[in-house]
Amino acid sequence: MDVEALKAEAGKAACDYVTEGMNVGLGTGSTVKYTILELGRRVAEEGLSIVGVPTSIATRDLALEVGIPLAELDDLDGLDVVIDGTDEFDPSFQLIKGGGAALLREKVVAQSSKRMVVVADDRKQVSTLGAFPLPIEVTPFSYNTTRRAIAKVLGCEVVMRQSGEALLTTDNGNYIADAHTGATIANPVKVEASLLALAGVVQVGLFSNMCDVVVMASGDGITVLTKQD
Ligand code: 5RP
């Protein structure tokens, strides 16, 4: 099975967590795209009534295109569920996110949701986080100073993310620094705290103790992994 088919399978399967009347956080990326397409189909064909809160401009545009009614997070009293992709997840359901540069809004939305459902193919399952370079959103002001400080804290190479010739700018007007830690992040809570202590760091792509369920697609079909409290 090709990767695109696995993404579609996981993305669609996660729609089982959405029921009538829910406020739903809509994640960002090429896997959750299939969730959004399927929710749009259910809204149009089955009359499903939901309100979505997008985690990026790209997701907002897609959700509007497929007819999902949207609201501002500020105008709602929290969300029932967020469905989002991930770049890695470990056995404790800790995540690295931000491959699509949407980590700040994704984290705000995840923290406002009663439940976080992650959609992934089995390439994202790791024993220790960090083979995927850790995305860190930083302020444009003296970003190189922040990049060097991150490198010192983590003891690894840190590279500013480019978009063509320019630095990539996030939906929030910030930059992304990618930290090449290797698969060494055994204690994401500690790593996150040490990075957030740097003034130029806006947010870190470590999502600790947020994910409740992973809907994972592999050649063997869908596996639903549920975190035990
Ligand atoms: C965006 C993200 C994405 O959810 C993550 O990068 C996974 O994306 P994809 O499903 O395309 O692999 O965190 O900031």
Side-chain angles (χ1 to χ4, degrees):
M1 224 168 161
D2 68 40
V3 172
E4 205 57 33
L6 294 179
K7 288 181 183 189
E9 233 190 282
K12 276 190 207 165
C15 292
D16 289 352
Y17 289 88
V18 178
T19 55
E20 185 69 13
M22 278 188 169
N23 294 335
V24 183
L26 304 171
T28 297
S30 59
T31 312
V32 78
K33 172 186 90 176
Y34 290 102
T35 307
I36 297 164
L37 294 176
E38 175 63 7
L39 289 176
R41 188 196 66 74
R42 291 191 189 179
V43 167
E45 294 178 14
E46 298 171 9
L48 175 70
S49 171
I50 56 170
V51 171
V53 172
T55 53
S56 62
I57 293 171
T59 291
R60 181 199 65 194
D61 292 347
L62 177 63
L64 288 175
E65 205 178 298
V66 299
I68 300 175
L70 300 181
E72 294 291 331
L73 186 57
D74 275 351
D75 295 335
L76 299 175
D77 188 19
L79 302 176
D80 297 291
V81 66
V82 58
I83 303 179
D84 205 344
T86 194
D87 297 302
E88 288 185 346
F89 67 94
D90 77 4
S92 305
F93 292 64
Q94 311 290 51
L95 314 175
I96 285 184
K97 287 183 50 54
L103 63 117
L104 174 56
R105 295 188 189 194
E106 289 174 334
K107 214 181 223 185
V108 172
V109 170
Q111 284 185 339
S112 306
S113 300
K114 285 185 196 140
R115 184 184 238 183
M116 182 180 196
V117 176
V118 159
V119 287
D121 59 77
D122 58 350
R123 297 170 312 151
K124 310 284 182 75
Q125 187 173 35
V126 300
S127 49
T128 308
L129 298 175
F132 188 94
L134 174 63
I136 302 162
E137 186 153 348
V138 300
T139 51
F141 173 77
S142 292
Y143 64 86
N144 251 324
T145 301
T146 303
R147 184 188 62 77
R148 285 194 293 265
I150 294 169
K152 202 167 165 193
V153 166
L154 296 178
C156 70
E157 191 189 9
V158 179
V159 179
M160 297 307 295
R161 199 181 297 180
Q162 302 277 137
S163 172
E165 293 294 294
L167 290 179
L168 181 141
T169 303
T170 69
D171 288 351
N172 316 298
N174 298 314
Y175 296 153
I176 298 285
D178 290 309
H180 292 252
T181 60
T184 60
I185 307 178
N187 189 339
V189 174
K190 197 169 156 199
V191 171
E192 182 185 26
S194 66
L195 292 171
L196 287 173
L198 302 172
V201 169
V202 177
Q203 197 43 260
V204 180
L206 288 166
F207 284 47
S208 301
N209 307 322
M210 291 186 193
C211 172
D212 304 291
V213 176
V214 179
V215 177
M216 182 179 74
S218 71
D220 298 331
I222 291 288
T223 308
V224 176
L225 305 165
T226 305
K227 191 174 179 185
Q228 307 301 323
D229 291 321

